[in-house]
């Protein structure tokens, strides 16, 4: 056998091994354009879940990749904020699902539910997704995350504290009276807004982040020129870093590490970014 043929043979045999290093990888190698795009590489569909058919939360909409050729997917439950309904966070459904996740935007039992109630509802929604939903066979029940806006963001932190087996948490302009989260063991991306007057970063997102363990994979993203309600409409910066965080920690996909470490610089859309880089592999 020639040296060239031997090298080619080695390359061919190495490919399955390298692919097997991370069985959770989904989709093509990411680029800046691919994570900023309004849609990813997966075609998606959705199904409505009536509040009458579930217990523990108020129903919602499940967005999911239509193809099962890649295997199962990680899943994320997302809660709206105080007085909000799932429509206020619905843009995240197809955007995240098209990147290779099953996404459940939920309604809460009442629009006035407080953060800790929303935490219980997020966890109930994940349990429904993995155990009873029509898409449960598409989901890897060991790879789950939570997100939420405002009081749903506070609920996200509480859900992460209550269920350390979660893989990722992202509170969006979160609100909670509790400012100490040293018991959280879930990789957490805290997203705040520099113009937030309802949950000002100085009394909410920043102390949330600071109180998370220094040994935790965590990041703090403060949006520039943004308000408390910025997460309620399509936002490229929120999507870009949420996708990167979910991919990195739910899918263990280190191809997305490049967008998180080294920490992004301040820009027209980022007022501040802090991170515990480097993340462990």
């Amino acid at each position: 056998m020639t040296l060239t043929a031997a090298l080619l043979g080695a390359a061919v045999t190495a490919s399955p091994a390298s692919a097997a290093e991370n069985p959770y990888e989904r989709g093509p190698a990411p680029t800046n354009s691919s994570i900023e795009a309004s849609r990813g590489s997966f075609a998606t569909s959705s199904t409505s879940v009536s509040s009458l058919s579930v217990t523990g939360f108020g129903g919602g909409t499940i967005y999911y990749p239509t193809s099962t050729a890649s295997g199962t997917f990680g899943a994320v439950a997302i809660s709206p904020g105080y007085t909000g309904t799932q429509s206020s966070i619905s843009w995240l459904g197809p955007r995240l699902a098209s990147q290779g996740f099953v996404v459940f935007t939920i309604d809460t039992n009442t629009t006035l539910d407080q953060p800790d109630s929303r935490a219980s509802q997020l966890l109930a929604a994940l349990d429904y997704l993995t155990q009873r939903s029509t898409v449960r066979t598409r989901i890897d029940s060991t790879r789950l995350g939570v997100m939420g806006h405002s009081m749903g963001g506070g609920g996200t932190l509480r859900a992460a504290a209550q269920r350390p087996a979660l893989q990722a948490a992202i509170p969006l302009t979160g609100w909670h009276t509790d400012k100490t989260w040293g018991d959280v063991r879930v990789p957490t991306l805290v997203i705040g807004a520099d113009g937030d007057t309802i949950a000002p970063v100085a009394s909410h997102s920043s102390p949330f982040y600071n109180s998370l363990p220094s040994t935790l994979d965590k990041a703090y993203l403060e949006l520039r020129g943004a308000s408390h309600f910025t997460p309620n409409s399509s936002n490229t910066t929120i999507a870009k870093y949420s996708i990167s965080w979910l991919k990195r920690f739910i899918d263990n996909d280190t191809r997305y590490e490049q967008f998180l470490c080294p920490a992004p610089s301040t820009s027209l859309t980022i007022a501040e970014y802090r991170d515990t880089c480097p993340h462990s592999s």
Side-chain angles (χ1 to χ4, degrees):
M1 181 184 292
T2 66
L3 178 59
T4 301
L7 289 173
L8 286 172
V12 169
T13 56
S15 296
S18 60
E21 286 176 7
N22 180 15
Y24 310 115
E25 255 182 31
R26 298 290 180 268
T31 64
N32 203 58
S33 296
S34 75
I35 60 173
E36 290 186 348
S38 61
R39 292 293 181 271
S41 62
F42 290 91
T44 66
S45 188
S46 65
T47 183
S48 295
V49 178
S50 168
S51 61
L52 301 177
S53 65
V54 300
T55 56
F57 65 105
T61 304
I62 303 171
Y63 302 84
Y64 59 94
T66 54
S67 173
T68 57
S70 299
T72 55
F73 298 93
V76 186
I78 310 178
S79 168
Y82 188 69
T83 74
T85 65
Q86 62 166 315
S87 64
S88 67
I89 49 169
S90 62
W91 71 274
L92 284 161
R95 191 142 183 179
L96 298 180
S98 68
Q99 295 285 346
F101 295 101
V102 175
V103 183
F104 199 1
T105 57
I106 69 168
D107 278 317
T108 46
N109 290 322
T110 80
T111 58
L112 307 183
D113 290 337
Q114 296 297 296
D116 288 355
S117 172
R118 291 167 193 266
S120 298
Q121 294 180 62
L122 281 167
L123 297 178
L126 287 178
D127 291 342
Y128 172 83
L129 259 187
T130 57
Q131 298 168 20
R132 293 182 50 211
S133 76
T134 58
V135 299
R136 60 189 179 278
T137 58
R138 298 171 183 263
I139 299 170
D140 180 345
S141 61
T142 69
R143 312 201 70 78
L144 306 174
V146 285
M147 297 177 66
H149 171 242
S150 191
M151 283 193 180
T156 294
L157 288 165
R158 183 67 74 204
Q162 292 176 341
R163 191 172 292 184
L166 294 174
Q167 302 294 310
I170 306 178
L172 305 166
T173 58
W175 188 99
H176 204 296
T177 55
D178 190 345
K179 314 301 180 185
T180 55
W181 299 97
D183 54 347
V184 171
R185 298 295 179 266
V186 178
T188 301
L189 168 61
V190 177
I191 297 181
D194 63 353
D196 193 336
T197 58
I198 295 173
V201 292
S203 57
H204 288 78
S205 291
S206 188
F208 294 163
Y209 174 82
N210 291 337
S211 72
L212 293 167
S214 60
T215 54
L216 185 68
D217 288 312
K218 62 176 183 174
Y220 171 81
L221 168 61
E222 186 175 315
L223 300 166
R224 188 187 298 279
S227 76
H228 184 69
F229 299 103
T230 293
N232 290 154
S233 56
S234 181
N235 183 281
T236 298
T237 304
I238 291 174
K240 175 179 182 176
Y241 292 100
S242 295
I243 290 164
S244 298
W245 197 261
L246 297 174
K247 283 287 192 179
R248 176 63 186 82
F249 294 106
I250 290 182
D251 289 354
N252 196 32
D253 194 337
T254 55
R255 298 178 300 173
Y256 288 80
E257 185 77 0
Q258 61 182 303
F259 307 110
L260 303 170
C261 294
S265 303
T266 56
S267 65
L268 292 175
T269 60
I270 299 176
E272 184 180 355
Y273 194 101
R274 288 178 263 156
D275 199 316
T276 54
C277 294
H279 301 123
S280 58
S281 58

